[in-house]
Amino acid sequence: MTKDYTWWKDATIYQIWPASYKDSNGDGFGDLQGIISKLDYVKDLGTDVIWLSPMYDSPQDDMGYDISNYQDIYPKYGTMKDMDQLIEGCHSRGIKLILDLVINHTSSEHEWFKESRSSLDNPKRDWYIWKKPKYDADGNRKPPNNWCSYFSGSAWEWDEKTQEYYLRLFAPTQPDLNWENEECRNAIYDTALKFWFEKGIDGFRIDTAGLYSKDQRFLDAPIVVPGNEFQPSYKYSSNGPRIHEFHKEMFSKVTSHYDAMTVGEVGDCSREDALKYVSAKEKEMSMIFLFDIVMLGTTEGDKYNFVGYDLKQFKDAVKNQADFIKGTDAWSTVFIENHDQARSPSRFGNAKTIKSSFKSSKLIALLQATLTGTLFIYQGQEIGMNNLPRSWDIKEYKDIESINAYNEFVAKHNITDKNDPKLIKFMDAVDTVARDHARSPVQWDSTEHGGFTTGDPWMRVNDNYPEINVESQINDANSVLSFYKRALKMRKNHKDLFIYGQFEILDYDNEKVFTYVKEIDGTKAYIVLNFSDETIKFEPLEKNLKLLEANVDNVTENLTPWEGRVYLVE
Ligand code: GLC
Ligand code: CA
């Protein structure tokens, strides 16, 4: 890794999920004007870049990841004029703005798909992936192969009119684009990328960036979830045969013409594949998100079969995300929350009480602020927001992923009783990893609905808004919010060490404490994090430690539960 201080390497990025950030007009939905009203707050936090999740026009079957027009704004969020104002509002404060680039699929309401599905010989027929049905021995119509959707069931959708199936790895209304078709690729580049670069945005978070190239044989996927008719298609749809060719083309034709950053959501891939995406000499993307940490404890292909994890696995995951760029010209990311993940104190800390939740949020802030790569913070993380309460019924959940998984589970196991132990175990998993934990409205103050809206919120606000909200933290030097600001400053003040330094774990076998060093050009930091509810004797593995930051007022010879410290080694 090169210590070159490129803006997007040094940056701290703040992700905004527009539906839940701030409602400016009382209709219950967050909107662009709401975001604009909070830009000073975002700046004050110490962030340099905003990543705005999809604000494009969309039927919202997958919260805007189903785009019907790349060049328009979802009316509930505002207008193009508001968007121009947001770009200007960011830039005038020295904040850069990146958008979400969702180009593996469109909405079925996109004009391209409407044309594509209109007839077998429409010129855009080949812009999506259409296949003839299969028939079983009894003559029943079946999808072309056994691939499952990320949102349960088959990945193929039957089209009555033209009597073929189309591929949709996500919702039925999210048809996958056919990247094999060059005309289609060029249309994507023009409408989804160039249009926005010309408006002045500074880059993209690239949605499902590893999925564009499907193995054209469309073979059945291997069985990884026994008992299910449909199986994860990774082998044939992730990091596929032409994926790097497509990224190189997108970079050379479009992105390279701007001073832009790109961060691809790639999730699971080998170190070798990861480097192909982000090695500087490959000219594909600036960096990618890997999922080692956020997927901990889940089962491959079956997220809601949650089996848990231990601290060693957590350390391995951190190491995998940090280490794959060692000795290369590649770059990496640091994140623990986003719109698809649970809240970090609930998921990786202890959110049983507000006190332990706040303390573990601060511990996580120290972890995040000291790891190598570009740092991403998700809205609400900076105040220590929690997962939704376990007492909430599944009816409060809005996300197509959890709802479909729930319905599929209930049907598969013939569950009729809410107290069925199998269902309770499933709901425990929902409680731990559902995407909606991140999607409830931001808690701004202690007034009704947490000050998010004066109307009826589109999604229920977490019940703990009186205890966890921005207003109560902003002037409190001991709050999670103040601590995040401090931790982010510390990261910047010692950026060689924390943003660029080499990472090494010192106590791999310790099941309760995570100790590591960061090192660069002869300077060294020593980080010790107690990831447990126990008080543990502090036994430093290095000498001459000078305390830089801690989430307690006074450090003693004991590490209290969820205590974290950062030292410089002198
Ligand atoms: C990505 C997004 C997720 C979305 C999916 C389909 O994983 O992060 O929210 O549902 O892609 O676009
Ligand atoms: Ca609104």
Side-chain angles (χ1 to χ4, degrees), residues 23-31 76:
D23 176 17
S24 72
N25 61 355
D27 69 353
F29 289 80
D31 45 51
K76 282 211 171 78

Side-chain angles (χ1 to χ4, degrees), residues 120-144:
L120 288 170
D121 56 6
N122 183 278
K124 292 204 173 60
R125 183 68 173 179
D126 188 47
W127 286 31
Y128 293 84
I129 301 168
W130 292 96
K131 294 280 172 234
K132 297 216 166 354
K134 267 192 182 165
Y135 291 93
D136 68 11
D138 303 325
N140 298 311
R141 193 192 70 226
K142 291 278 172 194

